Amino acid sequence: MKSAKVRVAVNGYGVIGKRVADAVSAQDDMELVGVADVVPDYRIRVAVERGYPVYASLPERSGELQAAGVPVAGTLQDLLAQVDVVVDCAPKRVAAANQAAYQAAGVKPIWQGGEKHELAGYSFVAQVNYEGALNRDSARVVSCNTTALSRISHALHGRGLARRVRAVLMRRATDPWESHRNGMINTATPETKVPSHQGPDAQTVIPGLDITTLAGAGPYNLSHLHFAMIETTRPVDVEELRAILLETPRVALVRAADGLEALNSVMELMRDLRRPRGDMWEVAVWEDALASDGREVYLTFQVHNEAIVIPENVDCIRALSGTEPDAARSIAKTDASLGITRHFLPSSRPPRVTPGQGTPAGSKGAEEPTAPR
Amino acid sequence: MKSAKVRVAVNGYGVIGKRVADAVSAQDDMELVGVADVVPDYRIRVAVERGYPVYASLPERSGELQAAGVPVAGTLQDLLAQVDVVVDCAPKRVAAANQAAYQAAGVKPIWQGGEKHELAGYSFVAQVNYEGALNRDSARVVSCNTTALSRISHALHGRGLARRVRAVLMRRATDPWESHRNGMINTATPETKVPSHQGPDAQTVIPGLDITTLAGAGPYNLSHLHFAMIETTRPVDVEELRAILLETPRVALVRAADGLEALNSVMELMRDLRRPRGDMWEVAVWEDALASDGREVYLTFQVHNEAIVIPENVDCIRALSGTEPDAARSIAKTDASLGITRHFLPSSRPPRVTPGQGTPAGSKGAEEPTAPR
């Protein structure tokens, strides 16, 4: 490394990039050297206000930024020359094209879920496979839905309790920033690709996982809603399920009984909690919707697509740079820096603190093949 | 019976009642003697325009109707004295209270899905259990979602192919007529009751069925969206699944490839087809979303909550009156009278006409208990 602190660049200052930049700035073992983008709109102006050095992702468009009064510290190449890790948050098609530039600069890229698994060859969710990413040259932080499915599935699969996962995702139609352009009204759109991509993608994080996902999108932009049915290898009752979730990092229980009855009420709580941008980094699982029939367990949860992958990006930076060999310590450090919790409301029952939490037993049982039925 | 035609009354002229009245009027073996309601709003005015005799459900409020210029033919009691069957489409709480009046008049009531199974002791979906309702004193036509789940599940369960059904329902928030009063915007509401009531309710129609449902509601009022995962007793590929659906009454295949990509596009097609009120009586199953992994089959379908139970009510009238002993003949007669089809677009591949369609083999295989996992 070029310094005691991991030197980080963020290329692409959009929905994910701007949040990664803020989260990196909040880490005492990282330095945000700069952010790079192309368009001089309100977003990059805020980056300037925050004192983030701004670089031009495309040298030929540097003039646009300057013309708009954005002080340009240099080109992407100049930025890459100063960092150890670059978090690529560029749009889908653009990202892969940056690979050559990163390789030339000898910088380790972290790709987002929009890119293919093969681009990095390693898909990352901190609590599942942090150690495997240690000192790698690159990694891919999977998408919001895949991150949530991986956290929840691993909580059971990692304990050898998940025989088969079935999940239905009702995705948000669009992101708030672009809701005036895209979006839908008074309808819902099913995905005709079955299984939807999230299931296979989760298998790039949890190889032994037997999972199938179906997906659709609804006319809202606040977050995604998941319904998961997890067949267990032995009966798991609601109390055990609840205990497992309380031991799972980045999962928080919410209760309709507390007035948290829908996606909007949970997001309103994030605003009331003074979360930056009203972000929810945790998977919110409805405690009063947890169920078990002895054969499988049922979970209903909310995924804030704009925010859930942010802590994963922070941990991935540590893993690639090798500054923290222990997953649990990196997760704890990231969580403390952002204020990630397992209980949003003090009125909620506190989690049972159990030794070795977040480090579930080996997934022996789950390796058994599922016979065709 | 008091005449060659079954004499029918509709009590409650709301979302379902007004449609049942129109459907009954379209049957050559039934006579709509009259409709009864309480409120003199635009709905009952249209009934008057159609020439339906209007009776006062509550004698004490008969004046309100008359004051609004609605010619009142008499009281509910007067109406009941002239009919064989009354289709009770009164609001949830009111309906059960009418039972005494129906018994006193010796009229056979048909209840809707909002009422408990126990009220009639027989929950009805024509293609599943028409014969069992023959000459009964009453029956209950199950709710829209349960009707759809029963049609789809029975298509496989009736052939001994359904080991276990899992379904997630994203319900519409409210009905069009009341969208200015209720409804939601930019959010989704999961149900915390797991399993949701539709699964157990489908078991009142299909006793041997192993089904679990989860439900939520989205900010739209056009219809419901279902995702079903049906574990099969042997591998069933997409072609066999498609063939089975094409043999199933009141199920129509739609394709995103035809531009039918969402709930609104399918409802727009109903309007273009000049369907009354844009109604869809069929379950619309996305053909290009049909999938199989050899262990289970996956279906995504749309349920028009305002319309799907209408043909079931018509068939139930025939069953209770005993005028048509054969389910397939009643279904065919009802379908012809309303224009129910299995292919909305001539461009769609025509159904393979198979002998004995709609009369699947005994459900031997499906009776096998599912071992706890």
Side-chain angles (χ1 to χ4, degrees):
Chain A
M1 288 189 303
K2 298 169 185 129
S3 83
K5 289 189 174 187
V6 186
R7 297 171 59 80
V8 181
V10 173
N11 186 19
Y13 197 74
V15 170
I16 300 301
K18 64 188 182 183
R19 289 174 163 87
V20 170
D22 292 350
V24 167
S25 302
Q27 308 307 313
D28 63 14
D29 59 344
M30 300 180 190
E31 180 188 348
L32 178 69
V33 177
V35 302
D37 205 289
V38 174
V39 187
D41 65 11
Y42 67 91
R43 283 166 297 198
I44 205 72
R45 304 293 194 86
V46 173
V48 174
E49 292 308 306
R50 298 230 167 130
Y52 301 157
V54 176
Y55 292 76
S57 296
L58 300 174
E60 64 274 23
R61 295 186 59 179
S62 173
E64 291 177 42
L65 291 164
Q66 281 157 326
V70 176
V72 178
T75 65
L76 175 62
Q77 203 174 0
D78 301 328
L79 176 59
L80 295 175
Q82 313 169 56
V83 302
D84 308 301
V85 176
V86 58
V87 183
D88 187 297
C89 302
K92 231 175 183 175
R93 285 170 302 292
V94 181
N98 293 329
Q99 190 174 23
Y102 301 154
Q103 274 172 342
V107 174
K108 297 182 172 186
I110 292 175
W111 308 103
Q112 301 305 308
E115 305 303 319
K116 286 195 159 27
H117 168 76
E118 292 65 31
L119 185 60
Y122 198 84
S123 291
F124 181 93
V125 172
Q127 64 195 263
V128 179
N129 60 4
Y130 179 98
E131 284 84 355
L134 280 170
N135 300 302
R136 279 186 58 93
D137 287 338
S138 71
R140 165 182 173 255
V141 170
V142 293
S143 70
C144 50
N145 284 316
T146 304
T147 297
L149 287 165
S150 297
R151 287 181 190 172
I152 296 295
S153 299
H154 181 65
L156 288 131
H157 183 267
R159 290 171 168 80
L161 294 175
R163 182 191 300 280
R164 178 148 161 71
V165 178
R166 298 172 180 83
V168 172
L169 294 62
M170 274 304 284
R171 296 179 299 101
R172 58 92 183 91
T174 182
D175 278 346
W177 78 272
E178 59 183 353
S179 293
H180 60 299
R181 293 191 202 160
N182 312 318
M184 50 173 93
I185 181 170
N186 198 28
T187 188
T189 311
E191 257 182 44
T192 52
K193 187 176 177 306
V194 176
S196 60
H197 75 275
Q198 295 88 359
D201 201 25
Q203 291 169 322
T204 66
V205 179
I206 311 174
L209 187 67
D210 182 2
I211 181 171
T212 302
T213 52
L214 277 67
Y220 46 88
N221 66 13
L222 291 174
S223 50
H224 305 301
L225 178 61
H226 289 223
F227 301 86
M229 298 169 265
I230 306 185
E231 235 180 289
T232 52
T233 51
R234 63 163 171 80
V236 173
D237 64 20
V238 169
E239 268 317 295
E240 179 177 10
L241 175 61
R242 188 176 161 281
I244 288 171
L245 293 172
L246 288 173
E247 290 175 5
T248 304
R250 295 169 182 170
V251 169
L253 298 179
V254 295
R255 287 201 295 259
D258 291 328
L260 299 169
E261 297 171 351
L263 300 180
N264 63 304
S265 33
V266 173
M267 295 315 287
E268 187 71 7
L269 174 61
M270 297 303 110
R271 298 170 68 198
D272 291 349
L273 292 174
R274 298 208 188 86
R275 291 271 183 114
R277 300 187 175 91
D279 285 355
M280 181 168 73
W281 306 286
E282 304 86 349
V283 178
V285 180
W286 268 276
E287 185 174 359
D288 33 18
L290 293 177
S292 168
D293 59 13
R295 296 183 292 179
E296 51 198 283
V297 292
Y298 304 90
L299 300 97
T300 304
F301 50 95
Q302 177 172 356
V303 180
H304 186 199
N305 47 291
E306 298 168 291
I308 188 173
V309 300
I310 305 309
E312 309 299 333
N313 274 279
V314 172
D315 291 324
C316 195
I317 292 169
R318 279 202 196 90
L320 295 193
S321 65
T323 51
E324 174 52 74
D326 182 68
R329 276 206 300 272
S330 177
I331 290 171
K333 187 177 177 62
T334 303
D335 290 1
S337 70
L338 298 179
I340 291 175
T341 179
R342 288 180 199 163
H343 41 99
F344 296 125
L345 296 171
S347 69
S348 299
R349 281 174 275 174
R352 302 176 190 156
V353 179
T354 311
Q357 63 177 235
T359 55
S363 57
K364 193 181 117 293
E367 299 305 321
E368 297 163 3
T370 307
R373 309 193 188 94
Chain B
M1 288 191 303
K2 299 171 183 126
S3 83
K5 290 188 173 188
V6 186
R7 297 172 58 81
V8 181
V10 173
N11 185 20
Y13 197 74
V15 170
I16 300 301
K18 63 189 182 182
R19 288 173 163 89
V20 170
D22 291 351
V24 167
S25 302
Q27 308 306 313
D28 62 15
D29 59 345
M30 300 181 189
E31 179 188 347
L32 179 70
V33 178
V35 302
D37 205 288
V38 173
V39 186
D41 67 9
Y42 66 91
R43 286 166 294 199
I44 204 70
R45 303 290 195 87
V46 173
V48 175
E49 291 309 305
R50 298 232 166 128
Y52 301 157
V54 176
Y55 292 75
S57 296
L58 300 174
E60 65 273 24
R61 294 186 59 178
S62 174
E64 291 178 41
L65 291 164
Q66 282 157 324
V70 177
V72 178
T75 66
L76 174 61
Q77 202 173 1
D78 301 328
L79 175 58
L80 294 176
Q82 312 170 57
V83 302
D84 309 300
V85 176
V86 57
V87 183
D88 187 297
C89 301
K92 230 176 185 177
R93 284 170 305 291
V94 182
N98 293 330
Q99 190 173 23
Y102 301 155
Q103 277 172 340
V107 175
K108 296 181 173 187
I110 291 175
W111 308 103
Q112 302 303 309
E115 305 303 319
K116 287 196 157 28
H117 168 75
E118 292 65 32
L119 185 59
Y122 197 85
S123 291
F124 180 93
V125 171
Q127 63 196 263
V128 178
N129 59 4
Y130 180 98
E131 284 83 356
L134 280 171
N135 299 302
R136 279 186 58 92
D137 287 337
S138 72
R140 166 183 173 252
V141 170
V142 294
S143 71
C144 51
N145 284 315
T146 304
T147 297
L149 286 165
S150 297
R151 288 181 190 172
I152 296 296
S153 300
H154 182 65
L156 287 130
H157 184 266
R159 290 171 169 81
L161 294 174
R163 181 192 300 281
R164 178 148 161 72
V165 178
R166 298 171 181 83
V168 173
L169 294 61
M170 274 304 284
R171 296 180 297 102
R172 58 92 182 91
T174 182
D175 278 346
W177 78 272
E178 60 184 353
S179 293
H180 61 298
R181 292 190 201 160
N182 312 317
M184 50 173 92
I185 181 170
N186 198 30
T187 190
T189 310
E191 256 182 45
T192 51
K193 187 176 176 305
V194 176
S196 60
H197 74 274
Q198 294 88 359
D201 201 25
Q203 292 170 322
T204 65
V205 179
I206 310 175
L209 187 66
D210 182 2
I211 181 170
T212 302
T213 52
L214 276 66
Y220 45 88
N221 65 15
L222 291 174
S223 51
H224 305 301
L225 178 60
H226 288 222
F227 300 87
M229 297 170 266
I230 305 184
E231 237 180 287
T232 52
T233 51
R234 63 164 171 79
V236 173
D237 65 18
V238 169
E239 266 318 293
E240 179 176 10
L241 175 60
R242 188 177 161 280
I244 288 171
L245 293 172
L246 288 173
E247 291 175 6
T248 305
R250 297 170 182 169
V251 169
L253 298 179
V254 296
R255 286 200 297 262
D258 291 328
L260 299 169
E261 298 171 351
L263 301 180
N264 63 305
S265 33
V266 173
M267 295 315 287
E268 186 72 6
L269 173 61
M270 296 305 110
R271 299 170 67 198
D272 291 348
L273 292 174
R274 299 208 188 86
R275 291 273 183 112
R277 299 186 176 93
D279 285 355
M280 181 168 72
W281 306 286
E282 305 85 349
V283 178
V285 179
W286 267 277
E287 184 173 0
D288 33 19
L290 293 176
S292 168
D293 60 13
R295 298 183 290 179
E296 50 198 281
V297 292
Y298 304 90
L299 300 97
T300 304
F301 50 94
Q302 177 172 356
V303 179
H304 186 200
N305 47 291
E306 298 168 291
I308 187 173
V309 300
I310 304 309
E312 309 300 332
N313 274 279
V314 172
D315 292 323
C316 196
I317 291 169
R318 280 201 196 91
L320 294 194
S321 64
T323 51
E324 173 52 74
D326 182 70
R329 275 206 300 275
S330 177
I331 290 171
K333 187 175 178 64
T334 303
D335 291 2
S337 69
L338 298 178
I340 291 175
T341 179
R342 289 180 199 163
H343 40 100
F344 296 124
L345 297 171
S347 70
S348 300
R349 283 174 273 174
R352 301 176 189 158
V353 179
T354 310
Q357 64 176 236
T359 55
S363 55
K364 193 181 118 293
E367 300 305 320
E368 297 163 2
T370 307
R373 309 191 189 96

